[in-house]
Amino acid sequence: MGDALVFFFAAVLTLPIPFIFVFYLFTRKWSKHKWKAIHRTTSLSAPVFILSVHLLLLVLFEQSFFAYILIFLFLLLGISLIVQYKIHEEVRLRRVFKAFWRISFLFFTFFYLGLTLYGLFERLFS
C-alpha cells in the first residue's frame, strides 16, 4: 500500500498536466458547475506545480532552489497584499490569499512548461 501511494505521488509530481485534466473531470462531476470546478482545480493543483517546478530545477541544474521558490512566493503574497490595499483600501486576507494562490498557479504552470521545454531542448541538442 505504501509503495502504491509513493508511486501515485511521484506520477502526479512528474506529470502534473494530465493530473489537472483528471482532477478537473472529477471536480466537474462532483460540483456540477464549470467555474467552481476550474477554481477548485487550480487551487488544489498549485502546490503540485510548485513541487514539480522544484523537482525539475533539481533534475536540470542538480541543485535545490527551494529557498528561492519560497522567497518568490512570499514576494507574490506581498504584492497581492499591496495591490488589494491600493484597489480596495481594505485588506481581506481570504481574498488576498485566493488571488495569491491563483497567480502562483499561473506563474508555476508557465515555469513548469518553460522548464520542460528547456529540458527537452537541452537533451536533444547537447
Side-chain angles (χ1 to χ4, degrees), residues 33-59:
H33 296 284
K34 180 181 178 181
W35 285 106
K36 280 186 181 181
I38 290 172
H39 289 300
R40 284 187 184 141
T41 302
T42 57
S43 67
L44 290 175
S45 60
V48 171
F49 273 104
I50 292 169
L51 289 174
S52 295
V53 165
H54 173 65
L55 288 176
L56 267 175
L57 287 169
L58 248 159
V59 167

Side-chain angles (χ1 to χ4, degrees), residues 46-59 61 63-77 100-101 104 107-108 111-112 115:
V48 171
F49 273 104
I50 292 169
L51 289 174
S52 295
V53 165
H54 173 65
L55 288 176
L56 267 175
L57 287 169
L58 248 159
V59 167
F61 301 112
Q63 68 179 31
S64 177
F65 289 95
F66 194 69
Y68 296 112
I69 290 173
L70 284 178
I71 291 169
F72 179 72
L73 286 171
F74 283 130
L75 284 173
L76 272 179
L77 183 61
F100 156 71
W101 209 236
S104 45
F107 272 120
F108 282 96
F111 288 158
Y112 177 79
L115 284 170

Side-chain angles (χ1 to χ4, degrees), residues 7 80 112 120:
F7 179 75
S80 298
Y112 177 79
L120 285 173

